[in-house]
Every structure is written in structure tokens, then in C-alpha cells.
């Protein structure tokens, strides 16, 4: 049914830990790698390990990692036949995916059409609703220009509501509205911001959920009709919509409930002909899942799913892009034990001020059930130009308690000098009684931080 694109050399259009993660998967599968890097990243580990490395521009991402034409030129110059976009940067840019394929190369990800559909939250929600995935109740489509009609929709949905930009992302372009009297002004302001930030003023609205958890389902789909769901992740511990600590599975939710929503996601993928790795993000409150958006790329937190299923998601992406069948059935996928990921950032643990600089000591933890994904080595300089993620500690245990205990040991072993890190934040979170009970909501961390000061 599908043609089989074959490639032997992959350009990794990213940096940091994910570039190294992708490079490892390529090498494991016998594929050559091309590292592209900005002037600020010349000393990166994956650059040293690559078969071919090419500097693509200055530190500013707009002139290096976000330069689509430059990346295509780099692929041509180095003989790469495929591009893996990683996460962030161009990974969810449908035009880039199309341009890669138009250049006769393989984009390691979904089709441009799938990325475009999911990048517009209104079309994404519509597609999901049609495919039987439960969504947050709201306006079925864009808000009309007539304010009375908008009010009628909001009253029907019920206050509080959240007004959101269809083209929004990164936690921007949304506004909570408590009362009908504030609606008109909120709509006008959000439309203006959306136009400025995303070039698209289209809005929709949803019921604002008060105390939801963020629970997401990982999927992996080949081009032969197999769509698998790989369990759930709970990513409720967030600050300013940035995830801090994630775990798989979601504590306190019955496996049968997760299996039901997982099946819906897999079925939606079959219906839209989705290919590659993806994540369905849900808000979960009072036992109900409500879809908010889909990410059409590998995610930072993918390792906890790898630990609990034994499936290498990045190798899966590469094999799918080669046209190979996954060769695994849903019934073959185990959900083994529990896994936790702590994101290590070079920042103050409690003020969150970024802390760039040279790392003088970098002692990694080890032992049973501990994995560290990082591009950092002692002597590495954390640059101020990019996000502050310097690594991820991933623990796995037979039970959640064991995964927590192993993570606590790992955090105690991890020694970093030269920059500040958020290790102390993770340490305190893992000792927090509410976290240990499991199932805190998406506002918990910010409330917890506010109480400390
Ligand atoms: P983005 O693409 O910008 O990340 P999302 O639609 O994923 O936007 O929403 C980001 C965050 O905003 C969610 O993780 C949640 O914290 C909050 N949010 C979004 N929609 C709702 C809603 N209907 N009710 C409550 N919180 C919401």
C-alpha cells in the first residue's frame, strides 16, 4: 500500500539531548548521521559523534535551526536522504515537512497535511470529535463576529470559559473569562494578540476546567495500517505551561480507562491516516478525558513511555519512515511498572532564572532502573541562546514507590557545579506528600511554589 522510501543517511535538524538521542537510534539501526550545528554548538557531543557535521549559521535559531532553506541545502551538500526534526524548532512546521518531501527527501514525521490539521486547533478538535475522541465542550468551530452570538455560545457552554487562538501554541493566545460581562473585551484582546503572535485572529472557546490533570497518550503508527497506543503519561507538574516532572502511567487512573481512551486515539490515527509518533493531550477531571491538542512529533518526555513499554520510540520513527511495518500488535505491548522523568534545567531551582555558564563538575547517577539522556559532559558550556534543558533523569521501578525511591537516590548522586540546576526543586517535589499520593492537578506546582515564598 505504501511505497518504501529507503535511506541510509539522516540529517538531524536539532541540537542538545534530543539530537544525541536521535543519533543513537540512527547508529543502532546502521544509519549514518549528519549533525548540523550553530556556531554556539560546535563542541556538542552529537557533533563529535556524527559521520558528517556541518555548521549552518550563527547562534540565533532563526538563522540556524529554524532556517528551512539552509537545512535543505545542508542535506543536499552532505548527501542526507532523510531529515529528523526532533522537537521544537521546525518539528511542527507543515511547510517545512512539505518542502523536505518536495526536495525528494524523507521527512521523519507525519505528512505536512497531518501537521497542518493538528496545528490548527479548530480543525484538530473537529477531526478528533468526528473520530470519536472526547473533547472539551465548547464552540464547535470559530467564534462568530457577532458578539451576541458569542455570548450565546458561552452561556450554553457555561462560565468560566477559556478563549483560545486557533493558531496558538506554547501556552500563549488564551484567556480565561469568569463572567459574561468580561467576554466582549476578552475576545477583542485575544483576537488582537493572536493576530500579532500567530498571524491569525481566529478564536474558539471552551469550558474552563478548574482542576484538571494533564494526561497524554503516546501513539506510534506505521504506513501499513497499524496504529498503537503506548500507555499514558501524567504531565501535570507544570510551571507556566512548561512541564517539569512527568510519569508513566498516570497514577490512580484505572488501566481499563486508559485502554479505552488509548483505543480511541489509535482509531483516530487510523481514520486520518496518521503516520509516525504523536501525542494526544487531554485534560482529565472527575474521571473524564477531554482532548485539547495533538503534538505531531517526538516529545521530551518520550523516555518514560519507552521504559514502561520496552518500545524504542525514536527507532520506531526511523523504521516507519523507512516504510517498515511496526511488526507489533497492541496485545504485545506490555505496561511494565512505573517510570518518572525529572527535567534538569540550568536555572535557579526556585526563582527559575536561567543559569548559563560552563559546567565544571558533572557526576551522573546510575544503578538499576536509572537512565540519563543528556548531551552534557564536564566542561560543557550552557549557552544562553536556547532552552535551559541540560538533561533528563529517568527512573523505572516495578511500582511507583520504587520509581520514586530510585529517583531520589539518583538526584542525591547527581553532582553539578558551575551552573545552578533545578535538582533541589525535584528533590523537594519527590518528598511532597501530595505528589507522593499521586494525581495532583496542573495548577498544583504553581500553588506549591507560591506557598514556599
Ligand atoms: P498550547 O498549544 O499553547 O500548549 P493547549 O491547548 O495545549 O495550548 O493548552 C495549554 C494549557 O492551557 C493546558 O495544558 C492547560 O493548562 C490550559 N488549558 C487549555 N485549555 C483549557 C481548558 N479548557 N480548561 C482549563 N485549562 C486549559
Amino acid at each position: 500500500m505504501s511505497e518504501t522510501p529507503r535511506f541510509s543517511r539522516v540529517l538531524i535538524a536539532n541540537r542538545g539531548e534530543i539530537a544525541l538521542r536521535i543519533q543513537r537510534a540512527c547508529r543502532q539501526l546502521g544509519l549514518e548521521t549528519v549533525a548540523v550545528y550553530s556556531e554556539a554548538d560546535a563542541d556538542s557531543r552529537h557533533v563529535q559523534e556524527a559521520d558528517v557535521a556541518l555548521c549552518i549559521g550563527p547562534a540565533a535559531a532563526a538563522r540556524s535551526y529554524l532556517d528551512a532553506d539552509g537545512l535543505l541545502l545542508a542535506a543536499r551538500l552532505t548527501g542526507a536522504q532523510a531529515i529528523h526534526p526532533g522537537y521544537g524548532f521546525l518539528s511542527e512546521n507543515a511547510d517545512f515537512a512539505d518542502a523536505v518531501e518536495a526536495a525528494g527527501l524523507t521527512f521523519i514525521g507525519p505528512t505536512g497535511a497531518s501537521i497542518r490539521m493538528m496545528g490548527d486547533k479548530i480543525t484538530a478538535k473537529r477531526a478528533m470529535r468526528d473520530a470519536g475522541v472526547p473533547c472539551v465542550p465548547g464552540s464547535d468551530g470559530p467564534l462568530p463576529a457577532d458578539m451576541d452570538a458569542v455570548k450565546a455560545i458561552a452561556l450554553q457552554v457555561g462560565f468560566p470559559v477559556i478563549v483560545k487562538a486557533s493558531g496558538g501554541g506554547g501556552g500563549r493566545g488564551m484567556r480565561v473569562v469568569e463572567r459574561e460581562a468580561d467576554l466582549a473585551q476578552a475576545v477583542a484582546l485575544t483576537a488582537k494578540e493572536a493576530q500579532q503572535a500567530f498571524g491569525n485572529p481566529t478564536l474558539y472557546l471552551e469550558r474552563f476546567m478548574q482542576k484538571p490533570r494533564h494526561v497524554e497518550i503516546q501513539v506510534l503508527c506505521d504506513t501499513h495500517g497499524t496504529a498503537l497506543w503506548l500507555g499514558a503519561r501524567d504531565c501535570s507538574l507544570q510551571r507556566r505551561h512548561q512541564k517539569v516532572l512527568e510519569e508513566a502511567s498516570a497514577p490512580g487512573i484505572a488501566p481499563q480507562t486508559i485502554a479505552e481512551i488509548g483505543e480511541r486515539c489509535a482509531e483516530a490515527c487510523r481514520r486520518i491516516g496518521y503516520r509516525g509518533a504523536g501525542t494526544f493531550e487531554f485534560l482529565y477531571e472527575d474521571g473524564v478525558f477531554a482532548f485539547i491538542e495533538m503534538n505531531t512529533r517526538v516529545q521530551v518526555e518520550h523516555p518514560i513511555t519507552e521504559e514502561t513499554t520496552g518500545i524504542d520510540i525514536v527507532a520506531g520513527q526511523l523504521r516507519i519512515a523507512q516504510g517498515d511495518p511496526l511488526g507489533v500488535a497492541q496485545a504485545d505491548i506490555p505496561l511494565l511498572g512505573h517510570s518518572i522523568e525529572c527535567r534538569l534545567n540550568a536555572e535557579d531551582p526556585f526563582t527559575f532564572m536561567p543559569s548559563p555558564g560552563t559546567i565544571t563538575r558533572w557526576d551522573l547517577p546510575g544503578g538499576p532502573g536509572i537512565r540519563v539522556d543528556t548531551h552534557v559532559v564536564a566542561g560543557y558550556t550552557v549557552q544562553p541562546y536556547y532552552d535551559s534543558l541540560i538533561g533528563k533523569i529517568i527512573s523505572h521501578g516495578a511500582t511507583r514507590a520504587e520509581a520514586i525511591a530510585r529517583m531520589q537516590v539518583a538526584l542525591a548522586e547527581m553532582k553539578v557545579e558551575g551552573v545552578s540546576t533545578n535538582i533541589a526543586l525535584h528533590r523537594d517535589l519527590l518528598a511532597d506528600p501530595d505528589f507522593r499520593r499521586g494525581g495532583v492537578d496542573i495548577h498544583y506546582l504553581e500553588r506549591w511554589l507560591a506557598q514556599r515564598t
Side-chain angles (χ1 to χ4, degrees):
M1 152 186 142
S2 61
E3 74 246 59
T4 46
R6 289 280 156 187
F7 50 83
S8 56
R9 181 173 277 201
V10 178
L11 184 145
I12 301 164
N14 217 295
R15 62 177 301 283
E17 68 87 19
I18 195 64
L20 185 60
R21 171 73 187 87
I22 296 163
Q23 186 176 60
R24 284 175 172 150
C26 289
R27 294 174 83 178
Q28 185 189 319
L29 296 179
L31 301 170
E32 293 177 343
T33 61
V34 176
V36 292
Y37 59 95
S38 75
E39 284 165 7
D41 283 333
D43 297 332
S44 272
R45 197 148 164 222
H46 85 284
V47 174
Q48 295 161 19
E49 302 281 333
D51 293 289
V52 185
L54 195 65
C55 181
I56 49 164
R63 293 175 61 198
S64 48
Y65 301 108
L66 286 169
D67 178 1
D69 292 337
L71 289 164
L72 288 172
L73 181 61
R76 197 156 73 232
L77 288 174
T78 58
Q81 304 115 346
I83 298 185
H84 195 308
Y87 53 62
F89 297 124
L90 291 169
S91 61
E92 290 182 293
N93 185 313
D95 292 340
F96 180 64
D98 285 342
V100 170
E101 305 255 305
L105 308 174
T106 301
F107 180 76
I108 300 171
T111 60
S114 288
I115 298 174
R116 200 167 280 117
M117 176 197 277
M118 294 305 163
D120 179 311
K121 294 181 179 184
I122 291 175
T123 56
K125 268 188 91 170
R126 205 172 268 154
M128 287 307 119
R129 205 192 40 225
D130 293 349
V133 175
C135 296
V136 184
S139 61
D140 289 329
L143 292 183
D146 171 29
M147 207 46 204
D148 288 333
V150 175
K151 273 187 187 157
I153 293 169
L155 284 170
Q156 201 190 2
V157 169
F159 283 94
V161 297
I162 182 167
V163 177
K164 299 169 82 169
S166 182
R172 294 179 312 145
M174 52 183 90
R175 188 168 266 104
V176 180
V177 187
E178 303 282 348
R179 304 174 303 144
E180 185 184 341
D182 300 332
L183 188 64
Q185 201 196 3
V187 166
L189 262 175
T190 313
K192 202 169 140 200
E193 285 169 8
Q195 174 63 43
Q196 277 166 5
F198 316 112
N200 174 6
T202 310
L203 304 179
Y204 64 111
L205 72 74
E206 287 177 344
R207 183 164 73 77
F208 181 68
M209 296 170 68
Q210 307 274 0
K211 286 198 162 190
R213 291 164 62 183
H214 174 118
V215 179
E216 57 186 35
I217 301 285
Q218 172 77 53
V219 293
L220 197 57
C221 312
D222 67 16
T223 50
H224 303 268
T226 298
L228 304 173
W229 60 273
L230 304 182
R233 295 186 289 252
D234 188 324
C235 314
S236 299
L237 284 172
Q238 302 182 3
R239 179 179 167 270
R240 298 193 178 163
H241 302 305
Q242 298 294 317
K243 296 165 185 167
V244 172
L245 178 156
E246 302 98 340
E247 54 185 315
S249 183
I253 305 181
Q256 184 54 33
T257 308
I258 290 171
E260 278 164 23
I261 198 74
E263 268 311 319
R264 296 274 178 98
C265 295
E267 183 52 31
C269 289
R270 284 177 211 116
R271 273 183 70 137
I272 64 172
Y274 191 79
R275 124 191 138 190
T279 299
F280 289 77
E281 295 194 334
F282 294 91
L283 297 178
Y284 176 85
E285 191 175 78
D286 299 330
V288 176
F289 280 95
F291 172 83
I292 45 171
E293 68 166 342
M294 182 178 193
N295 291 319
T296 53
R297 55 173 164 80
V298 69
Q299 291 195 252
V300 176
E301 60 271 26
H302 76 275
I304 56 175
T305 299
E306 297 184 324
E307 295 303 314
T308 45
T309 60
I311 293 199
D312 183 328
I313 292 171
V314 182
Q317 289 184 296
L318 293 164
R319 291 179 42 233
I320 290 163
Q322 293 272 34
D324 292 340
L326 279 167
V328 190
Q330 189 67 49
D332 301 332
I333 295 171
L335 294 174
L336 296 169
H338 200 87
S339 182
I340 296 179
E341 171 179 275
C342 290
R343 297 188 185 201
L344 296 186
N345 295 330
E347 67 189 13
D348 182 278
F350 300 108
T351 67
F352 303 96
M353 278 283 290
S355 177
T358 298
I359 294 179
T360 51
R361 182 177 183 192
W362 183 252
D363 297 353
L364 296 180
I370 293 298
R371 159 177 170 185
V372 182
D373 279 17
T374 180
H375 57 298
V376 168
V377 291
Y380 177 88
T381 299
V382 181
Q383 301 291 342
Y385 313 105
Y386 312 108
D387 70 27
S388 58
L389 186 73
I390 50 176
K392 310 181 300 206
I393 304 182
I394 300 113
S395 74
H396 184 245
T399 61
R400 184 169 185 263
E402 189 174 58
I404 291 176
R406 285 179 167 169
M407 182 63 84
Q408 286 177 307
V409 176
L411 290 172
E413 281 181 15
M414 178 92 209
K415 303 280 190 313
V416 186
E417 288 170 12
V419 300
S420 300
T421 76
N422 59 346
I423 290 174
L425 171 70
H426 286 300
R427 194 189 55 213
D428 290 1
L429 269 175
L430 288 166
D432 177 71
D434 290 324
F435 169 75
R436 295 179 75 90
R437 221 168 283 128
V440 298
D441 70 71
I442 57 172
H443 306 298
Y444 181 80
L445 178 57
E446 290 190 356
R447 285 197 305 268
W448 184 84
L449 288 165
Q451 275 166 15
R452 293 176 63 100
T453 49

